[in-house]
Amino acid sequence: MPKRVLITEPVPGEAAAFLKQQGFEVTVGNRGDLDRADALAAAFQGMDAALTMLSNPVNADVLRGNTQLKIVANFAVGFNNIDTEVARELGIRVANTPDVLSEATADIALGLLLSVARHLTAAEAQLRSGAFDGWHPMGFLGTELHGKTAGILGMGRIGAAIARRLRGFGIQIAYHNRSRVHASVEKELNARFFPDLPTMLEVSDFVFLSAPLTPQTHHIINKERIARLKSGAILINTGRGPLVDEAALAAALLDGKLGGAGLDVFEFEPRVHPDLLRTPNTVLLPHIGSGTHETRQAMGMMAAKAIACVLNNSGTDSLKNLIV
Ligand code: 8YV
């Protein structure tokens, strides 16, 4: 009997073909059908492995109802949608897709900063509407990037890729992280460690969120922390929506305390807080940080290879993306 693998919805690239070549029976679900726990638990029945999306709630009940699973490989670096403690207890391996998406996601973070600081989306909309009436000295005045300070919350692989880009813009780097990064990395990035997050927020003109979502980081940017930000500061989130209390953020944008925000992730995806939709100087993207052909192909193969190694029981020691 061939081993059975579920890919919960179509992914770009060769992942499905690779898994078939390995001799597995591959089922591919339909987009969005398995974003509810009951549907996911039912679809997992009889499967030996699953390649899941960040929108699939792989919670304790789903795992306990499917103890035959050998591995759940998430098509994402973030794995807050998976109960890793229960997976560990049940002996189900869990994989993610680190590294391969860092550059693409950092690109989007910088794209958001540029869009917000220089009003790119509003300026383009004005031109398309036919309202461009020629250059003028007061047109769409933005915020200079050069010489400013950026605070990066979460100096992991994506945070470091953001910092490298920021250096090219002549921006000073401050960072806050669970633990201080290696001295060689600090040196390369010319980054200053702030063990105290509010102090980092106070010195930052731009704040980037690239921390994983955990119970400790949920709403790490809340009303009090927003109050510590400089007036006119810009917040960029390419991590996870629930890092931010969206209602508090929308209020700070609407009352003019913040200079703007660039968000690729939302607290209750795919729902966007209605107040955010009417905030000025805010660029809202539909979670496209890792969305390049190259990166998504690499993510699919990384997840698929972890599944193949675990199901074939070979090569797992050399895998760098097994969390459990
Ligand atoms: C995002 C992601 O595109 O892999 C993840 O966990 O969510 C990425 O694919 C990025 O983090 C959001 O900008």
Side-chain angles (χ1 to χ4, degrees):
M1 273 269 287
K3 298 213 167 103
R4 298 181 68 198
V5 179
L6 173 69
I7 303 179
T8 60
E9 67 179 66
V11 296
E14 309 301 317
F18 168 81
L19 289 165
K20 284 180 194 157
Q21 277 161 17
Q22 295 284 310
F24 304 133
E25 184 187 312
V26 178
T27 306
V28 183
N30 296 317
R31 164 152 167 62
D33 279 1
L34 303 182
D35 291 348
R36 282 197 355 254
D38 53 350
L40 190 64
F44 277 0
Q45 294 292 306
M47 294 294 164
D48 298 288
L51 198 159
T52 54
M53 308 303 128
L54 55 87
S55 51
N56 303 147
V58 189
N59 65 24
D61 289 344
V62 170
L63 291 169
R64 289 197 199 285
N66 285 284
T67 52
Q68 84 290 347
L69 281 169
K70 299 283 176 295
I71 175 169
V72 175
N74 216 30
F75 187 80
V77 66
F79 49 88
N80 52 289
N81 58 309
I82 302 177
D83 192 325
T84 51
E85 280 319 303
V86 169
R88 192 184 307 278
E89 177 195 316
L90 299 174
I92 300 172
R93 309 300 301 262
V94 177
N96 68 342
T97 61
D99 294 315
V100 292
L101 46 65
S102 303
E103 305 300 332
T105 304
D107 286 346
I108 281 291
L110 265 290
L112 283 168
L113 177 65
L114 278 166
S115 302
V116 175
R118 300 299 300 274
H119 311 297
L120 298 190
T121 52
E124 208 241 9
Q126 190 227 48
L127 182 143
R128 281 185 191 266
S129 76
F132 178 42
D133 57 358
W135 183 89
H136 71 109
M138 309 289 273
F140 289 105
L141 294 185
T143 300
E144 187 93 5
L145 300 189
H146 187 268
K148 297 284 167 56
T149 297
I152 300 180
L153 170 52
M155 190 58 102
R157 292 163 283 234
I158 296 174
I162 292 171
R164 279 187 200 104
R165 284 158 176 73
L166 291 172
R167 289 208 65 197
F169 283 85
I171 293 173
Q172 304 297 314
I173 313 294
Y175 79 97
H176 174 80
N177 203 47
R178 263 173 310 187
S179 49
R180 195 166 179 167
V181 300
H182 196 271
S184 62
V185 179
E186 275 190 4
K187 194 166 172 224
E188 180 214 341
L189 303 173
N190 198 13
R192 183 168 160 216
F193 178 53
F194 283 76
D196 180 53
L197 174 60
T199 312
M200 183 196 82
L201 298 177
E202 280 168 6
V203 303
S204 301
D205 300 290
F206 316 126
V207 172
F208 289 84
L209 306 183
S210 53
L213 176 63
T214 64
Q216 293 72 37
T217 61
H218 183 265
H219 280 193
I220 193 164
I221 299 298
N222 56 17
K223 193 175 171 197
E224 289 146 33
R225 300 250 164 90
I226 290 171
R228 304 293 285 264
L229 284 164
K230 284 186 185 179
S231 174
I234 293 173
L235 180 80
I236 306 295
N237 190 1
T238 54
R240 282 287 180 268
L243 295 173
V244 180
D245 177 345
E246 255 175 21
L249 173 64
L253 288 161
L254 287 169
D255 74 15
K257 152 87 182 158
L258 292 185
L263 310 176
D264 188 39
V265 287
F266 299 90
E267 195 173 350
F268 303 106
E269 282 180 30
R271 203 157 57 75
V272 177
H273 195 293
D275 288 350
L276 278 179
L277 293 171
R278 47 188 198 90
T279 50
N281 223 12
T282 305
V283 177
L284 309 172
L285 297 180
H287 204 149
I288 59 169
S290 61
T292 66
H293 293 291
E294 296 88 340
T295 287
R296 292 275 163 87
Q297 152 75 2
M299 290 164 71
M301 284 309 292
M302 195 172 199
K305 282 182 179 157
I307 288 173
C309 285
V310 169
L311 293 188
N312 293 331
N313 206 8
S314 82
T316 46
D317 290 346
S318 61
L319 285 177
K320 294 201 172 68
N321 59 326
L322 278 180
I323 302 150
V324 171

